[in-house]
Amino acid sequence: MAEAVGDGAGTVRLASETFMAFSGPLAAFKQRCPAVEIELHQLPVTEMARRLRAQDVDLAVASQPIAAEGLDSVRLLDEEVALALPVGHPLAGRTSVGVEELVGLPLIATRPGHWQRRLLDQLFAGRGLTPRIVCEGDEAGAIAELISAGLGVGLVPVIARRTISRVPLAWAGVDSPDCRRVLTLYWAQGGRLPAPARLLRDAIAAWDWEAGGTGA
């Protein structure tokens, strides 16, 4: 009934691999639509298409393409993924670093399947190389902390670099045009999205992601 009269009440279910940098757009949305309840679901990208088509979630934001039929999408951000290093590391101060120079270095990474790990594996495999991973886990947000502690180096998207400025790190570009992340918003094709989901979809699509999730 509330949806029918268009007062913005209801629930929307949003899935993502990580919710880093989502606090800005979600806070702005809640200010505009306080009656809408947001359910957050942390899912691997391999689960997103199935859950969208089954209507278990309304929207999904992925950092790697979802190769599945029956989905509509809008690109939110195409950004560089940089190399984060401990302050004082021998590579600190470099403008860019080649993938070959990372061979043998201890790497902090996420588990297989996560977009950061998939990107790391692709960069090395494309050159016939094998990464030396000394730490892998589910907490993508902890990577910067572990790198800053001196445990290794790792790939961190530029948007996260802005949100973790409190962590002392050195930064360098990766000398590869493929070292990028494409953030995309997906929803099921053909089905009618509930009004709260349409409102959140439009709000996320209109957010200024280039500003690092810090302003509308």
Side-chain angles (χ1 to χ4, degrees):
M1 291 286 292
E3 182 183 331
V5 298
D7 67 356
T11 300
V12 56
R13 300 159 298 175
L14 172 66
S16 182
E17 296 161 286
T18 175
F19 290 101
M20 287 182 65
F22 269 85
S23 58
L26 293 182
F29 176 78
K30 285 295 290 183
Q31 286 182 343
R32 291 195 300 270
C33 304
V36 175
E37 181 177 312
I38 303 174
E39 292 182 6
L40 300 178
H41 300 260
Q42 192 165 11
L43 296 176
V45 71
T46 52
E47 276 287 298
M48 288 182 183
R50 183 184 66 81
R51 297 284 290 271
L52 284 168
R53 288 195 296 256
Q55 299 183 349
D56 292 333
V57 296
D58 302 301
L59 307 168
V61 177
S63 296
Q64 53 187 287
I66 298 179
E69 295 181 356
L71 299 180
D72 281 328
S73 65
V74 60
R75 179 176 292 189
L76 304 176
L77 178 68
D78 184 345
E79 67 166 344
E80 176 190 3
V81 178
L83 180 69
L85 310 107
V87 174
H89 191 277
L91 294 177
R94 293 269 298 275
T95 302
S96 65
V97 176
V99 177
E100 293 81 2
E101 296 179 87
L102 302 180
V103 174
L105 293 183
L107 290 161
I108 311 295
T110 50
R111 293 186 185 276
H114 190 278
W115 75 266
Q116 282 170 289
R117 177 60 177 274
R118 182 171 292 185
L119 175 60
L120 178 68
D121 291 341
Q122 288 174 346
L123 288 172
F124 275 75
R127 294 161 176 80
L129 305 173
T130 302
R132 179 190 165 210
I133 297 172
V134 298
C135 176
E136 62 177 20
D138 297 321
E139 298 180 75
I143 288 180
E145 300 277 357
L146 295 173
I147 294 171
S148 179
L151 274 70
V153 304
L155 299 178
V156 177
V158 168
I159 194 172
R161 176 178 176 176
R162 300 187 186 105
T163 60
I164 57 174
S165 57
R166 62 181 178 78
V167 181
L169 289 168
W171 298 90
V174 177
D175 190 13
S176 171
D178 300 326
C179 195
R180 305 189 66 82
R181 170 173 78 149
V182 178
L183 198 66
T184 306
L185 173 65
Y186 292 91
W187 62 94
Q189 195 176 66
R192 179 178 173 275
L193 276 177
R198 295 198 303 273
L199 290 170
L200 183 57
R201 177 194 62 189
D202 295 344
I204 291 175
W207 185 256
D208 186 3
W209 291 96
E210 292 289 347
T214 57

